[in-house]
Amino acid sequence: MDSHSLTTRGAVMAVSGKRVAFLLTKGVEQVELTSPREALEGAGATTVIVSPSEGTLQAMQGDWDHGDVFDVDVPLGEAGAGDYDLLVLPGGTLNADALRQDDRAVELVKDFFAAGIPVAAICHAPWILADAGLAEGRTLTSYASLETDLRNAGADWRDEEVVIDGNLITSRNPGDLDAFNAAIVQALQDTEA
């Protein structure tokens, strides 16, 4: 058996039985949902879409082109941080802007931080951290256009493909997905069983 098989098997064993919430709504950047989901499920985790959208939601490819439609697994009002081992916040301008204005979404993100559960945000998703009062004193990254907003919210913003600050993992854009995916799988492996 080669070392890749051992590593993969170890990852599957380490995250088997772990549950991951993806918090998103209409306008989510499709690849920022599908790529991390595939990485986590490939490692043995169970993923669920939590959303204020009812029934289904429309993903986007960039800001203008419609992507696929996805089923909502858990309504936002029924989701609790204690039910999950990791929270992933995919980007997409429309998605991120809508979620940061949704009090229930902001409260759920705060609950994950309060519980010390890992939170991973990519692209425009870190916007919600500013609205939740969670960016202050944190080192993070995001889509470049959010730099000023996040610095104004007290964050130490970095232009790096992945930034890990305690239980917070952030990346800039879809070009960083390989590093982002590796970091979130590792964070899930590091959580206690």
Side-chain angles (χ1 to χ4, degrees):
M1 186 177 289
D2 62 24
S3 62
H4 175 73
S5 296
L6 287 172
T7 303
T8 303
R9 197 167 112 215
V12 170
M13 290 173 57
V15 303
S16 182
K18 304 266 177 104
R19 290 176 42 88
V20 179
F22 278 74
L23 177 59
L24 54 120
T25 193
K26 297 176 282 188
V28 65
E29 176 68 47
Q30 181 165 318
V31 71
E32 294 172 4
L33 165 63
T34 57
S35 179
R37 254 186 125 179
E38 289 169 7
L40 289 161
E41 289 174 354
T46 299
T47 66
V48 298
I49 292 177
V50 174
S51 181
S53 298
E54 294 183 16
T56 61
L57 58 88
Q58 176 70 58
M60 302 296 284
Q61 295 176 353
D63 286 336
W64 306 107
D65 298 320
H66 284 183
D68 296 329
V69 173
F70 292 86
D71 292 329
V72 173
D73 300 311
V74 178
L76 177 56
E78 296 176 15
D83 298 331
Y84 303 99
D85 301 289
L86 173 74
L87 173 64
V88 178
L89 301 167
T93 310
L94 299 173
N95 166 64
D97 195 41
L99 286 179
R100 72 187 182 124
Q101 296 177 65
D102 186 313
D103 292 340
R104 296 170 305 162
V106 171
E107 286 304 314
L108 182 62
V109 172
K110 286 180 179 180
D111 291 347
F112 273 88
F113 274 87
I117 298 167
V119 175
I122 187 168
C123 201
H124 285 80
W127 244 347
I128 200 169
L129 303 177
D131 285 72
L134 299 168
E136 187 170 359
R138 301 304 293 252
T139 301
L140 52 75
T141 193
S142 68
Y143 194 72
S145 66
L146 274 61
E147 177 183 356
T148 300
D149 291 343
L150 291 167
R151 285 188 188 277
N152 287 341
D156 176 10
W157 189 90
R158 305 282 174 91
D159 184 13
E160 298 172 13
E161 67 179 357
V162 67
V163 175
I164 301 171
D165 179 1
N167 69 324
L168 177 62
I169 301 160
T170 53
S171 284
R172 301 171 298 192
N173 56 54
D176 298 334
L177 278 166
D178 287 346
F180 183 72
N181 294 347
I184 61 177
V185 169
Q186 183 62 54
L188 199 55
Q189 289 174 328
D190 292 345
T191 60
E192 293 181 13

